[in-house]
């Protein structure tokens, strides 16, 4: 019995089998290690695609500490990613980092290990399938599918070909979808059925709610309608008195329910705005690309070698050192002014002189209590005491607390065009159309912008400097503007003043298509040119409207930036300057036919770069009408003969007190500035035009739109069969008498006035008599009866 007991005790004491268990702390440590390791792998793999070329040479020098890799995890990241990405599965290697991270999370959070193995199996299947698919799609890039995908794809292609590889990949995709995502055809059908049924139910519920809402509205309206209570009259106590109708009651038939459409309209408008903005952005992007490739459009390229006139072409008139100061003359004039005012008991507290090229301005400050009108009335007395040609009193000088007395110098200094053009004020002028007129009383160069005037009216008696002023304007523009940027239309009824500019016809001048000469001297052509210019104005406004800009400067900037398509009719638009000399002659001969287009251009043409310069001798009200004056705010007055003319041109006195020879007053609506106009002689202008004309020019002058005017005559096409029975007799009477009048036909053939007039029209149509010439008899174009017979016989053939 004892032996048996010992044996049983030995069995109980035998050791148990060893089992591997990990404590919770070790799980947390190991799990965090795997999570961080997965992150390191992820950053290494991502960085590998950007740095693998730089790190390729360092893989063999892993032990060398001096070498550094470009990978985010240095040499470790380069080596690991090279092994898993390049030699492994390519982009699909990222799945490996996810699997390592999931394993780490299971350990870190002490989750159940069930399903972990399944995740690894499916992850590896996904990794292999993606690697092979990428290897097939990008067989020239092993990096995408890795060496494994590349080699597997190559192996399968050798045995099955491309179609076989596609079929194997499709089978793998079906296997994954069925096994992993539980994909079945019935499931897809039920999914679409559920979606369609849910959509139908939503629509039904919406319609039910709408019908229920309508019923509720109708019920509330019915409830609010109550029978009118019987109202007894306060005084008669009768109930059959009809009540006073204050307002018509609203019944259900009158009640209309309308669905507001504001939101829908707003959305449509927003979509249209977005579409316009997108189209504009697309146009701007194309324009920016064109500017990058070819640069901005340069209108001067056609005449890229054009050279501007040099200063040496102009002569230096007068004294080169500037204004000479005559101290004795200044002192003498000062004393005479003070003495004359003292004689009229007007005290002066201060006097100052400003010397100009032609006039010296004496600024006086009168003592307190002296009336300005008292000094102004002494203009003739001061002129008498100074023995001056004519003085001008400015009382007071705008912007100053002084009274100005302008006294002509005994020895006037000529202001040469050369000194004005060479001045820094003109050379550095950032203006569209800079014009240097001359110098002011303070000897400053006076430069203005014609584009901002926008039109200029010049007046002055014969020989006072108008033609020189026009030459100064044209010379200024020739020195500053390229032929592509400005064009001139010159109207010269005198036929000799502006003919010198014929040499620059193909550079700077504009004309009608059929005109032989660019400078217009015939009044009939002036009318056609002005009407053609009105057509040009309308065409330009149409271009500005389509370009969505407000003026010519913005349009040309947009065109240079290649934002306007030449195929749509857009083109670079130069400034057009219309210069009319002797405007009074045009008004007297053409009248309204000239005034109407001039008024239209003056009112509308400033925005599209057409500017007018009109010169006339006598600025009477029948020449410079109210409409023209209203649209010509910038005016220049040379010396005129009367104060009335001064008021007409300047709306102020003073032009009758000028001394001539280029002495002028300029106003732009506010102050009046006295200027000595720059002198440019005819030989100087000839040298400038010769210099420009000798250079390469455009094939033709700038052509204006074609305009066909209405003939004032009665020439019409009349059929030979419709001629009067006495047509030949009347023709013989006219040719024999060599006098083309209807009264002669009346007397000789005993006809009435109307019939004789019709015969004259038929004679004009046949070319026997000329057109109507007013009170004069018509010109007979056939010399004798033999020529008449020949003309009529040729017509019958």
């Amino acid at each position: 019995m004892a032996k048996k007991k010992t044996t049983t005790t030995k069995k109980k004491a035998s050791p148990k089998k060893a089992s591997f268990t990990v404590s919770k702390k070790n799980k947390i440590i190991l799990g965090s290690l795997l999570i961080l390791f997965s992150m390191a792998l992820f950053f290494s793999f991502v960085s590998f695609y950007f740095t693998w070329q730089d790190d390729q040479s360092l893989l063999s020098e892993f032990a060398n500490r001096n070498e550094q890799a470009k990978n985010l995890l240095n040499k470790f990241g380069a080596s690991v990613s090279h092994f898993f990405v390049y030699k492994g599965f390519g982009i699909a290697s990222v799945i490996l980092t996810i699997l390592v991270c999931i394993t780490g999370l299971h350990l870190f959070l002490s989750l159940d290990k069930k399903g972990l193995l399944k995740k690894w199996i499916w992850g590896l299947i996904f990794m292999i399938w993606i690697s092979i698919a990428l290897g097939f799609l990008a067989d020239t890039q092993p990096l995408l599918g890795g060496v494994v995908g590349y080699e597997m794809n190559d192996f399968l292609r050798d045995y099955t070909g491309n179609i076989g590889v596609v079929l194997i990949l499709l089978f793998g995709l079906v296997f994954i979808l069925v096994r992993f995502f539980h994909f079945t055809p019935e499931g897809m059908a039920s999914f679409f059925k559920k979606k369609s049924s849910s959509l139908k139910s939503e629509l039904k519920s919406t319609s039910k709610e709408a019908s229920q809402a309508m019923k509720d509205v109708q019920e509330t309206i019915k409830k609010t309608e109550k029978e009118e209570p019987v109202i007894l009259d306060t005084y008669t106590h009768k109930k059959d008195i009809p009540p006073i109708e204050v307002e018509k009651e609203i019944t259900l038939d009158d009640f209309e329910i309308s669905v507001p459409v504001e939101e829908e309209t707003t959305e449509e408008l927003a979509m249209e705005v977005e579409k316009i903005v997108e189209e504009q952005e697309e146009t701007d992007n194309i324009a920016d690309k064109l500017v990058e490739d070819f640069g901005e459009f340069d209108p001067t390229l056609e005449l890229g070698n054009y050279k501007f006139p040099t200063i040496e072409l102009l002569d230096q008139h007068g004294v080169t050192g500037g204004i000479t100061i005559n101290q004795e003359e200044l002192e003498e004039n000062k004393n005479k002014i003070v003495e004359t005012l003292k004689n009229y008991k007007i005290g002066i507290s201060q006097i100052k002189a400003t010397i100009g090229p032609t006039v010296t301005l004496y600024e006086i400050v009168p003592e307190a209590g002296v009336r300005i009108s008292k000094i102004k009335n002494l203009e003739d007395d001061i002129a008498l005491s100074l023995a001056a040609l004519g003085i001008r009193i400015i009382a007071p000088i705008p912007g100053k607390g002084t009274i100005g007395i302008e006294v002509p110098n005994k020895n006037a200094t000529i202001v040469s065009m050369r000194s004005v053009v060479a001045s820094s004020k003109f050379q550095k002028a950032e203006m569209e159309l800079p014009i240097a007129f001359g110098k002011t009383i303070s000897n400053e160069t006076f430069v203005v912008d014609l584009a901002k005037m926008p039109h200029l009216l010049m007046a002055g008696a014969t020989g006072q400097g108008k033609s020189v002023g026009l030459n100064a304007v044209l010379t200024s523009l020739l020195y500053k503007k390229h032929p592509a940027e400005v064009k001139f239309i010159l109207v010269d009824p005198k036929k000799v003043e502006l003919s010198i500019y014929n040499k620059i016809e193909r550079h700077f001048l504009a004309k009608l298509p059929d005109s032989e000469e660019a400078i217009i001297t015939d009044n009939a052509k002036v009318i056609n040119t002005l009407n053609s210019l009105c057509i040009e104005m309308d065409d330009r406004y149409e271009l500005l409207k389509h370009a969505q800009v407000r003026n010519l400067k913005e349009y040309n900037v947009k065109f240079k930036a290649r934002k306007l398509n030449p195929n749509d009719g857009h083109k670079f638009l130069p400034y057009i300057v219309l210069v009319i000399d002797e405007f009074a002659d045009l008004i007297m001969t053409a009248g309204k036919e000239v005034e109407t287009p001039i008024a239209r251009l003056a009112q509308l043409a400033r925005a599209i770069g057409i500017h007018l310069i009109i010169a006339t001798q006598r600025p009477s009200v029948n020449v410079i009408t109210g409409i023209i004056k209203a649209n010509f705010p910038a005016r220049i007055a040379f010396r005129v003969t009367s104060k009335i003319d001064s008021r007409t041109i300047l709306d102020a006195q003073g032009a009758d007190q000028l001394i001539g020879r280029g002495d002028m007053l300029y106003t732009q609506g506010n102050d009046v500035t006295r200027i000595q106009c720059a002198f440019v002689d005819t030989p100087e202008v000839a040298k400038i035009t010769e210099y420009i004309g000798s250079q390469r020019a455009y094939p033709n002058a700038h052509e204006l739109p074609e305009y066909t005017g209405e003939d004032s005559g009665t020439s019409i096409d009349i059929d030979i069969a419709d001629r009067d029975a006495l047509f030949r007799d009347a023709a013989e009477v006219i040719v024999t008498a060599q006098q083309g009048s209807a009264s002669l036909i009346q007397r000789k053939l005993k006809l009435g006035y109307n019939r004789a007039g019709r015969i004259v029209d038929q004679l004009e149509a046949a070319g026997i008599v000329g057109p109507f010439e007013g009170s004069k008899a018509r010109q007979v174009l056939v010399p004798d009866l033999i020529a008449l017979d020949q003309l009529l016989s040729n017509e019958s053939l």
Side-chain angles (χ1 to χ4, degrees):
M1 290 293 292
K3 288 181 181 179
K4 287 182 182 178
K5 285 181 182 178
T6 56
T7 55
T8 54
T9 54
K10 282 180 182 179
K11 285 181 181 179
K12 287 181 181 178
S14 60
K16 296 179 180 179
K17 292 181 180 179
S19 61
F20 181 75
T21 57
V22 182
S23 64
K24 188 175 182 179
K25 292 180 181 180
N26 292 333
K27 283 183 180 180
I28 293 171
I29 293 170
L30 184 58
S32 60
L33 177 63
L34 290 176
I35 292 170
L36 296 174
F37 181 69
S38 68
M39 293 172 66
L41 289 177
F42 178 82
F43 288 118
S44 299
F45 295 169
V46 172
S47 179
F48 175 77
Y49 280 94
F50 300 95
T51 62
W52 69 274
Q53 291 179 332
D54 297 327
D55 298 340
Q56 196 74 21
S57 60
L58 300 176
L59 295 174
S60 61
E61 298 181 9
F62 187 87
N64 190 356
R65 295 182 62 182
N66 294 326
E67 295 292 335
Q68 297 293 322
K70 295 288 183 67
N71 196 288
L72 290 177
L73 273 78
N74 212 326
K75 287 186 281 188
F76 169 80
S79 302
V80 172
S81 55
H82 178 75
F83 178 79
F84 284 101
V85 177
Y86 184 80
K87 291 188 174 182
F89 302 93
I91 294 175
S93 301
V94 177
I95 298 174
L96 183 64
T97 64
I98 298 170
L99 294 173
V100 174
C101 184
I102 291 171
T103 306
L105 287 172
H106 273 78
L107 293 172
F108 188 80
L109 301 174
S110 299
L111 299 175
D112 192 4
K113 294 180 182 179
K114 291 179 180 179
L116 186 59
L117 181 61
K118 188 178 180 181
K119 289 186 175 91
W120 271 91
I121 293 170
W122 280 111
L124 293 173
I125 290 171
F126 273 117
M127 196 161 59
I128 294 168
W129 186 86
I130 292 171
S131 178
I132 297 172
L134 290 175
F136 175 76
L137 295 173
D139 56 346
T140 59
Q141 296 289 335
L143 285 175
L144 296 177
V147 174
V148 172
Y150 182 82
E151 292 295 335
M152 289 289 292
N153 177 61
D154 195 41
F155 175 79
L156 293 172
R157 190 176 291 174
D158 290 339
Y159 286 94
T160 61
N162 289 331
I163 296 175
V165 175
V166 172
L167 295 175
I168 292 169
L169 289 172
L170 287 174
F171 173 73
L173 180 62
V174 172
F175 176 80
I176 292 169
L177 290 174
V178 173
R179 295 293 298 174
F180 187 79
F181 295 102
H182 308 290
F183 173 83
T184 57
E186 294 84 6
M188 288 296 294
S190 62
F191 173 79
F192 284 111
K193 282 181 182 179
K194 285 180 183 178
K195 285 291 181 185
S196 59
S197 61
S198 63
L199 186 62
K200 287 179 181 178
S201 62
E202 285 178 6
L203 290 173
K204 285 180 181 178
S205 62
T206 306
S207 60
K208 284 180 181 178
E209 288 175 2
S211 60
Q212 187 63 35
M214 285 292 294
K215 289 179 181 178
D216 294 338
V217 170
Q218 292 176 358
E219 286 177 5
T220 52
I221 292 169
K222 286 179 180 178
K223 287 178 182 177
T224 52
E225 289 181 350
K226 295 180 179 180
E227 294 182 0
E228 269 190 28
V230 179
I231 302 172
L232 298 176
D233 189 82
T234 311
Y235 300 101
T236 61
H237 297 283
K238 294 181 179 179
K239 63 179 180 180
D240 56 337
I241 295 175
I244 298 171
E245 292 185 1
V246 179
E247 247 180 7
K248 185 183 177 183
E249 293 184 357
I250 299 173
T251 61
L252 187 62
D253 296 332
D254 298 326
F255 187 70
E256 293 183 2
I257 299 173
S258 60
V259 181
V261 292
E262 292 180 2
E263 293 182 2
E264 191 175 339
T265 308
T266 308
E267 288 176 3
E268 289 176 0
L269 182 62
M271 289 173 66
E272 289 178 5
V273 171
E274 286 178 5
K275 187 177 179 182
I276 293 169
V277 170
E278 287 175 1
E279 290 176 354
Q280 186 63 39
E281 287 178 354
E282 186 179 351
T283 305
D284 292 344
N285 291 334
I286 295 170
D288 294 340
K289 185 71 170 61
L290 288 171
V291 171
E292 286 179 11
D293 295 341
F294 305 104
E296 286 195 348
F297 174 78
D298 187 3
T300 63
L301 278 180
E302 191 172 351
L303 298 182
N305 297 324
Y306 174 79
K307 294 180 180 178
F308 286 87
T310 58
I311 299 293
E312 284 71 25
L313 297 172
L314 296 170
D315 298 333
Q316 184 68 56
H317 300 281
V319 183
T320 57
I323 298 171
T324 55
I325 300 173
N326 190 337
Q327 198 66 37
E328 293 180 1
E329 182 184 349
L330 288 175
E331 195 68 27
E332 184 182 354
N333 288 340
K334 184 198 78 170
N335 293 333
K336 287 181 178 179
I337 290 171
V338 173
E339 186 180 348
T340 303
L341 294 175
K342 191 175 180 181
N343 291 336
Y344 292 94
K345 297 179 182 180
I346 297 173
I348 297 174
S349 60
Q350 187 181 348
I351 187 167
K352 184 180 80 170
T354 304
I355 304 167
T358 309
V359 175
T360 299
L361 174 65
Y362 294 89
E363 293 183 53
I364 62 174
V365 179
E367 292 180 348
V370 177
R371 297 179 65 183
I372 293 175
S373 59
K374 195 174 182 181
I375 299 175
K376 207 166 184 181
N377 292 333
L378 297 175
E379 191 173 59
D380 296 334
D381 298 291
I382 296 171
L384 178 65
S385 65
L386 294 174
L389 181 63
I391 68 165
R392 177 169 167 263
I393 295 178
I394 310 166
I397 297 176
K400 296 182 180 180
T402 58
I403 295 172
I405 301 175
E406 293 176 349
V407 181
N409 297 334
K410 289 182 180 178
N411 298 316
T413 304
I414 297 175
V415 177
S416 65
M417 194 69 198
R418 177 169 181 159
S419 63
V420 172
V421 169
S423 65
S424 60
K425 192 170 184 181
F426 178 74
Q427 292 293 332
K428 297 178 181 178
E430 295 182 359
M431 301 175 180
E432 294 299 312
L433 296 172
I435 296 174
F437 279 120
K439 293 191 176 181
T440 62
I441 289 177
S442 57
N443 204 34
E444 293 180 1
T445 303
F446 189 79
V447 182
V448 291
D449 190 0
L450 178 62
K452 292 183 179 178
M453 286 186 185
H455 309 296
L456 180 62
L457 187 61
M458 300 174 69
T462 304
Q464 303 304 318
K466 285 195 315 301
S467 298
V468 174
L470 287 176
N471 284 332
V473 169
L474 295 173
T475 303
S476 301
L477 295 174
L478 291 177
Y479 266 92
K480 287 290 283 186
K481 305 305 287 183
H482 190 275
E485 296 173 327
V486 64
K487 301 294 178 184
F488 301 123
I489 299 174
L490 304 180
V491 178
D492 183 18
K494 288 183 183 176
K495 304 181 181 180
V496 293
E497 290 291 345
L498 302 175
S499 60
I500 198 167
Y501 293 98
N502 264 325
K503 297 174 185 176
I504 59 171
E505 175 182 333
R506 291 188 296 140
H507 290 86
F508 282 99
L509 299 190
K511 66 176 184 179
L512 291 171
D514 298 331
S515 297
E516 295 180 1
E517 296 182 357
I519 296 174
I520 305 159
T521 55
D522 186 7
N523 289 346
K525 289 184 179 178
V526 175
I527 297 167
N528 292 344
T529 303
L530 292 175
N531 286 294
S532 173
L533 209 53
C534 290
I535 298 171
E536 174 76 12
M537 177 183 70
D538 296 335
D539 292 344
R540 288 192 173 198
Y541 268 118
E542 195 68 24
L543 290 176
L544 261 64
K545 183 183 79 171
H546 291 305
Q548 296 181 350
V549 292
R550 296 183 61 190
N551 54 52
L552 184 78
K553 186 177 179 181
E554 294 176 6
Y555 177 88
N556 283 338
V557 168
K558 204 167 183 180
F559 186 82
K560 286 180 181 178
R562 301 184 186 273
K563 294 182 180 179
L564 299 175
N565 192 348
N567 294 327
D568 297 335
H570 293 291
K571 58 185 177 180
F572 181 82
L573 300 178
Y575 285 93
I576 296 177
V577 179
L578 172 65
V579 179
I580 302 178
D581 195 11
E582 300 302 339
F583 182 63
D585 183 62
L586 289 180
I587 291 293
M588 285 189 292
T589 55
K592 289 287 182 184
E593 290 181 285
V594 169
E595 185 184 348
T596 303
I598 287 285
R600 277 203 71 208
L601 292 169
Q603 289 169 353
L604 302 172
R606 67 173 296 177
I608 42 86
I610 298 176
H611 303 281
L612 280 60
I613 300 175
I614 292 177
T616 183
Q617 287 182 350
R618 185 173 183 271
S620 55
V621 291
N622 61 337
V623 175
I624 303 173
T625 59
I627 296 175
I628 292 176
K629 276 185 70 175
N631 293 287
F632 282 79
R635 299 171 199 166
I636 288 177
F638 292 92
R639 188 166 184 264
V640 293
T641 54
S642 67
K643 292 182 179 179
I644 297 172
D645 291 344
S646 178
R647 288 195 190 98
T648 305
I649 182 68
L650 294 176
D651 295 326
Q653 295 184 15
D656 56 317
Q657 298 293 336
L658 299 175
I659 61 173
R661 294 178 59 85
D663 189 19
M664 69 182 200
L665 295 175
Y666 170 82
T667 179
Q668 201 170 351
N670 299 322
D671 305 334
V672 178
T673 307
R674 192 165 186 172
I675 303 167
Q676 177 59 41
C677 183
F679 177 68
V680 52
D681 204 0
T682 306
E684 297 175 67
V685 180
K687 284 191 284 185
I688 294 170
T689 55
E690 184 69 35
Y691 180 84
I692 296 172
S694 62
Q695 300 183 49
R696 179 174 170 268
Y698 295 106
N700 296 301
H702 183 79
E703 288 192 354
L704 297 171
E706 189 174 357
Y707 174 79
T708 53
E710 297 178 1
D711 292 331
S712 58
T714 59
S715 59
I716 52 175
D717 292 331
I718 299 174
D719 192 6
I720 296 175
D722 295 335
R723 285 177 178 172
D724 195 280
L726 296 176
F727 172 79
R728 187 178 182 89
D729 296 337
E732 291 177 355
V733 169
I734 293 293
V735 171
T736 304
Q738 287 293 305
Q739 182 182 352
S741 65
S743 59
L744 179 65
I745 297 174
Q746 285 179 269
R747 293 195 307 273
K748 293 291 184 182
L749 301 180
K750 298 178 181 179
L751 301 176
Y753 176 77
N754 292 334
R755 188 177 180 184
R758 286 194 297 273
I759 292 174
V760 170
D761 290 341
Q762 293 168 9
L763 292 171
E764 182 186 352
I768 297 171
V769 296
F772 178 73
E773 296 181 7
S775 59
K776 294 182 183 180
R778 292 174 184 253
Q779 183 182 0
V780 181
L781 305 176
V782 179
D784 50 31
L785 293 175
I786 297 172
L788 177 65
D789 291 337
Q790 188 176 359
L791 176 66
L792 296 177
S793 62
N794 290 336
E795 283 185 351
S796 61
L797 293 176

